[in-house]
Amino acid sequence: CACFALVMEVKNWARDWHFEKVLHQTTIDVNGKIERTKNPIFQARLQAFKLREWFKLHNVQGIPIQYLFVNSNEKSNIIIGEDNKYKWNACNSEYLLERIDEITNDKRIELLDEKELRKINKLLLTSHTPEDPQLLTKHNLSRNEILTGVHCPECLFLPMTYQSGTWKCPKCRTQSKKAF
């Protein structure tokens, strides 16, 4: 069914997620200590907002954008009150398909036509640009300043040579199978 875009923030932390209603804070239990963390529902909501704005910038209208926090670690729980308005924006990974079905069956969502879907697909594919961080430029380094190779675990000489499954240091003659 082509009826909406879905933005998901997926976390795989082995910690229980506690969502507070009043201040909308999120806390996790770290070895018995409660720590505040970024709210993954709001992270997904922000990405949905950015996608909506990006669509507007590219003259794409009328696409409902839904968002979800998906907990993918089966050892952690989502603790969110029944009266919390964001309870429908979180689920465990094993319930994800059912949650998508629930969103799909929502009577307020209309189907998108094939032509519009092809337009969106083409736009997304042509606009996708992998990140190129330009680390050398960012840190004002030249390629020859980057030291490469495996350090000797004894004398820290660089680089060791690899021969027949063994790393060998040309300086102190140390040999190691695990120097890397």
Side-chain angles (χ1 to χ4, degrees):
C1 167
C3 28
F4 61 92
L6 179 62
V7 174
M8 294 184 291
E9 180 71 29
V10 181
K11 302 287 189 191
N12 189 28
W13 295 359
R15 293 172 171 76
D16 289 346
W17 296 88
H18 300 265
F19 294 88
E20 297 175 13
K21 178 186 174 193
V22 178
L23 296 175
H24 302 292
Q25 293 183 129
T26 304
T27 56
I28 53 173
D29 186 336
V30 181
N31 300 325
K33 182 181 176 210
I34 301 298
E35 292 183 6
R36 187 174 179 279
T37 189
K38 286 185 177 180
N39 185 324
I41 295 172
F42 291 169
Q43 288 176 304
R45 184 174 152 204
L46 176 61
Q47 293 305 318
F49 172 80
K50 288 180 178 182
L51 180 59
R52 193 172 294 111
E53 292 301 306
W54 188 84
F55 278 152
K56 282 182 193 174
L57 185 67
H58 291 85
N59 298 316
V60 177
Q61 303 293 324
I63 300 172
I65 300 174
Q66 303 292 319
Y67 58 92
L68 279 177
F69 156 55
V70 181
N71 169 38
S72 65
N73 191 304
E74 62 188 35
K75 294 184 175 153
S76 64
N77 299 299
I78 298 173
I79 297 102
I80 188 167
E82 275 296 313
D83 58 344
N84 190 317
K85 71 179 184 178
Y86 294 104
K87 68 182 177 188
W88 301 113
N89 297 97
C91 71
N92 290 309
S93 58
E94 63 268 18
Y95 191 71
L96 179 60
L97 293 178
E98 286 79 6
R99 186 66 192 111
I100 292 171
D101 282 344
E102 290 170 355
I103 295 168
T104 303
N105 293 329
D106 186 339
K107 304 284 188 270
R108 295 170 292 154
I109 294 177
E110 297 178 19
L111 295 177
L112 301 171
D113 70 5
E114 199 67 34
K115 183 179 176 184
E116 186 69 11
L117 283 175
R118 278 195 301 276
K119 176 185 170 186
I120 294 165
N121 185 44
K122 185 177 179 181
L123 179 64
L124 288 169
L125 289 174
T126 57
S127 298
H128 175 70
T129 53
E131 185 178 1
D132 182 11
Q134 297 292 320
L135 293 175
L136 294 177
T137 306
K138 181 179 178 180
H139 297 287
N140 199 22
L141 295 170
S142 66
R143 189 165 292 284
N144 61 353
E145 290 178 284
I146 305 295
L147 303 176
T148 60
V150 174
H151 284 274
C152 173
E154 292 296 317
C155 72
L156 300 179
F157 180 82
L158 183 69
M160 294 181 80
T161 57
Y162 189 72
Q163 296 172 339
S164 305
T166 303
W167 293 98
K168 299 178 180 182
C169 178
K171 184 176 179 186
C172 72
R173 308 269 185 241
T174 294
Q175 295 187 18
S176 171
K177 296 236 182 236
K178 299 180 180 180
F180 57 91

